[in-house]
Amino acid sequence: MIVALLVNGSAMLAQPYADSTKVIRVLTFNIYHGATMKGDFDLDYIARVIDDTDPDLVALQEVDFRTRRVRGYDLATELGWRLKMAPLFGRAMEYDGGEYGEAILSKYSYVATRNVPLPFTGAREPRAAVEVVTVLPSGDTIAFIGTHLDHVADDTDRILQAKMINEVFGHSHYPSILAGDLNAVPGSVPIGILEELWGNACDRDAPVPTYPSGDPVKKIDYVMFRPAGRWRVIYTEVIQDSVASDHCAYLAVLELK
């Protein structure tokens, strides 16, 4: 039996010895287009929060590409440069003179990449899922997907988007990790749809909240994986920083079996 201990917002799992070449540190972080909760624009601060977790792969949401509100910066490239990680931006929509969407940062090079538009209805915001295929130090090839599901109260679009994620990414030949701001709480219909195919890194009986960052009350940021039997959860942690973003970053340390 595996026992989970909750320490300072972290789920520490008592686990057998892990093969370090197959262990991967995954972070998901909604960066609120680079604007901190102090009302300024501070990519150095955001980069420090990410760097302190020493991640191998990062899924970023609410990422601007050369919009006016971020002074024409490419946020993924700027953060990648600061963190010495390979950046990839995936556009969800045109916005404010530039583009807006998701990004991935990686310590490893990319074998393949793709950006998949997700379904949306009416005048709601378009969403996307960006995927990279990479190789771990062990030589194992994996897929990593970052996404951001619809945010409105009605979960119609989240349900459509969760079904599309399962359809497109749920049958990969590679062991896969899905990370992002899913805007849905544990036990909701969209999470249930994803859990039909994906394991969930969080403790379902006592999920640690990730939003809002100042005083988190609900979990909406996730790391998932498939096939569930190929991954072992070693450790998870909610990174509560009330300045960097309105979301807490969420770290999961996984081992590929």
Side-chain angles (χ1 to χ4, degrees):
M1 182 176 72
I2 296 172
V3 178
L5 303 176
L6 188 62
V7 181
N8 295 327
S10 306
M12 188 71 177
L13 303 184
Q15 297 279 6
Y17 173 78
D19 180 348
S20 62
T21 67
K22 292 177 176 282
V23 171
I24 186 164
R25 298 175 64 86
V26 176
L27 188 76
T28 180
F29 195 13
N30 181 321
I31 62 168
Y32 197 62
H33 59 266
T36 75
M37 296 300 95
K38 295 189 298 183
D40 60 3
F41 178 71
D42 193 342
L43 295 181
D44 291 331
Y45 190 103
I46 294 168
R48 283 195 299 272
V49 172
I50 296 171
D51 193 41
D52 284 348
T53 69
D54 189 27
D56 299 301
L57 287 166
V58 183
L60 299 174
Q61 303 86 49
E62 296 197 20
V63 182
D64 280 22
F65 177 83
R66 301 187 185 280
T67 63
R68 284 183 286 267
R69 71 176 172 183
V70 298
R71 310 171 193 172
Y73 283 103
D74 168 358
L75 297 192
T77 296
E78 291 289 336
L79 289 170
W81 180 82
R82 286 165 171 79
L83 294 161
K84 297 182 174 61
M85 301 180 80
L88 178 70
F89 173 76
R91 181 179 76 173
M93 65 179 183
E94 296 180 354
Y95 181 77
D96 194 26
E99 299 173 4
Y100 175 78
E102 333 308 326
I104 287 174
L105 305 176
S106 174
K107 282 187 178 178
Y108 313 124
S109 62
Y110 302 135
V111 175
T113 66
R114 61 174 168 166
N115 188 41
V116 177
L118 298 178
F120 65 100
T121 60
R124 294 183 184 175
E125 286 187 5
R127 302 288 176 164
V130 61
E131 178 191 44
V132 301
V133 177
T134 190
V135 181
L136 301 183
S138 62
D140 294 288
T141 302
I142 67 165
F144 180 67
I145 303 104
T147 195
H148 184 194
L149 302 190
D150 187 70
H151 66 288
V152 304
D154 175 15
D155 64 4
T156 298
D157 279 18
R158 283 188 295 279
I159 290 170
L160 293 173
Q161 291 158 2
K163 289 179 177 179
M164 175 66 81
I165 286 169
N166 280 358
E167 179 182 340
V168 174
F169 303 108
H171 306 282
S172 172
H173 296 300
Y174 303 119
S176 302
I177 299 171
L178 171 70
D181 172 6
L182 303 184
N183 275 311
V185 297
S188 64
V189 173
I191 299 303
I193 290 168
L194 291 171
E195 287 179 337
E196 292 172 5
L197 295 182
W198 303 82
N200 196 335
C202 79
D203 181 350
R204 296 182 186 179
D205 295 326
V208 182
T210 62
Y211 179 87
S213 60
D215 184 18
V217 295
K218 61 181 179 179
K219 178 175 180 60
I220 57 175
D221 303 272
Y222 294 81
V223 173
M224 296 183 168
F225 45 83
R226 61 159 301 277
R230 290 292 311 276
W231 295 96
R232 186 157 63 97
V233 181
I234 297 174
Y235 175 79
T236 65
E237 182 178 359
V238 173
I239 314 298
Q240 188 178 352
D241 185 297
S242 61
V243 174
S245 172
D246 59 337
H247 283 247
C248 299
Y250 178 61
L251 174 72
V253 183
L254 307 176
E255 182 189 19
L256 180 62
K257 297 193 288 184

